[in-house]
Amino acid sequence: MSQHVERGAGERPDGSAAHENAVWKAAHAARVAAQALAVLSESTPDPAADSRCARNAAASAAQAAQMAQLVDGDADLSRDACQAALKASLAASAASGAGRLGADGELNSLADAAEKAAVVAAEHAGWIKAGVDVPAVSTGVRSPEVMSMLHF
């Protein structure tokens, strides 16, 4: 999605970057999602911590989706993809919330289904392409604040 935003941002007639803030926010969202997934893959499985990492990755994807929708000028497929990403983020949040902590099978299934629907919607919007490898995103420096947000 971040690449889609970068391509769509373009330049204004005066030479300044259009949607410069959207490009930065999409790149930041990709970095936070990469950090969350890295923490998830590096840790011992723990439903509560893993669900928080998944929640943060989903929230980052929703942020990137909002930036892609902005760049696309609120086209129908773009709006649908953004709504699907927001629903996936909310479902991940519910699954990781207090009292659930990633251990509720029904909420986890709902979150998985919402994530799959968001991926399909992003493909239809042209933000991502099925079967194409996702480019590596640097996780950057993981500050203690980011680590605590992602995992603890």
Side-chain angles (χ1 to χ4, degrees):
M1 245 182 292
S2 183
Q3 287 183 323
H4 175 80
V5 172
E6 288 174 16
R7 284 191 303 272
E11 287 189 13
R12 296 181 179 127
D14 65 4
S16 63
H19 300 296
E20 185 176 317
N21 199 30
V23 172
W24 182 87
K25 284 184 178 182
H28 178 68
R31 205 169 27 258
V32 171
Q35 288 174 347
L37 294 174
V39 168
L40 185 61
S41 70
E42 294 167 357
S43 64
T44 305
D46 172 72
D50 291 351
S51 67
R52 286 191 297 272
C53 285
R55 175 201 62 207
N56 283 293
S60 296
Q63 173 70 45
Q66 289 174 320
M67 296 306 100
Q69 181 183 8
L70 174 69
V71 168
D72 285 350
D74 205 28
D76 287 342
L77 289 176
S78 182
R79 188 173 43 254
D80 292 347
C82 186
Q83 289 301 313
L86 292 171
K87 286 179 185 175
S89 180
L90 290 172
S93 179
S96 67
R100 305 288 191 236
L101 302 177
D104 186 311
E106 183 179 342
L107 288 176
N108 289 340
S109 293
L110 290 172
D112 288 343
E115 180 183 327
K116 288 176 185 170
V119 169
V120 169
E123 289 172 349
H124 287 150
W127 296 349
I128 59 175
K129 296 191 183 341
V132 174
D133 289 335
V134 175
V137 175
S138 169
T139 58
V141 176
R142 294 191 231 161
S143 68
E145 293 81 13
V146 168
M147 292 300 290
S148 66
M149 174 193 74
L150 292 173
H151 214 238
F152 301 109

